[in-house]
Amino acid sequence: MQKDPSLNVFGDPLIPCSVAPMTGYFRDGHCNTCAQDSGSHTVCAVMTDEFLALSKYLGNDLSTPRPEFGFSGLNAGDQWCLCAARFLQAHEEGAAPKVQLAATHIKALEIVPLDILKQNAVTA
């Protein structure tokens, strides 16, 4: 699998999203992607209780530990490379998590407009 160039939504080098928990399609801590990543795991999202509840309701339970897959479950405040379409859906439902823009892959822009990502950006 060939990774797409590791650039963020600003065209700068992609910074890590999270190594604890380890995230990313490649489980390398970055929201890198490639042609085989059909879910486009490109948005570095900061989990909230509201988003985790919505995701579970929609059939993707990210909060329950799955030790058989080496997954400890996510909690509010954890950062995770989220599927761009799920982020957009959560935004439309009013439950979008916050976003680390410098750690969000430029390919996310093929699904989520930059202005929507900026509306949900983490502020310092």
Side-chain angles (χ1 to χ4, degrees):
M1 282 185 281
Q2 171 118 10
K3 288 182 188 177
D4 288 338
S6 296
L7 299 175
N8 67 28
V9 295
F10 302 118
D12 297 324
L14 190 67
I15 68 167
C17 180
S18 176
V19 294
M22 187 62 75
T23 191
Y25 181 77
F26 295 98
R27 291 298 189 261
D28 62 0
H30 293 76
C31 296
N32 284 308
T33 191
C34 65
Q36 291 79 17
D37 178 14
S38 60
S40 187
H41 295 78
T42 53
V43 176
C44 182
V46 181
M47 297 294 104
T48 63
D49 289 330
E50 184 179 31
F51 172 76
L52 289 168
L54 175 67
S55 188
K56 186 174 184 176
Y57 173 77
L58 294 172
N60 187 17
D61 182 0
L62 296 172
S63 54
T64 300
R66 298 292 304 268
E68 66 272 26
F69 299 116
F71 181 69
S72 60
L74 299 176
N75 298 297
D78 288 341
Q79 293 190 173
W80 192 250
C81 294
L82 190 61
C83 292
R86 178 54 50 94
F87 172 82
L88 186 58
Q89 181 182 21
H91 171 77
E92 291 167 351
E93 295 287 334
K98 291 294 183 186
V99 176
Q100 290 285 359
L101 294 173
T104 295
H105 198 282
I106 195 167
K107 287 276 189 173
L109 299 178
E110 293 177 1
I111 297 169
V112 184
L114 183 58
D115 65 319
I116 291 175
L117 291 170
K118 285 181 173 179
Q119 286 173 33
N120 294 285
V122 170
T123 55

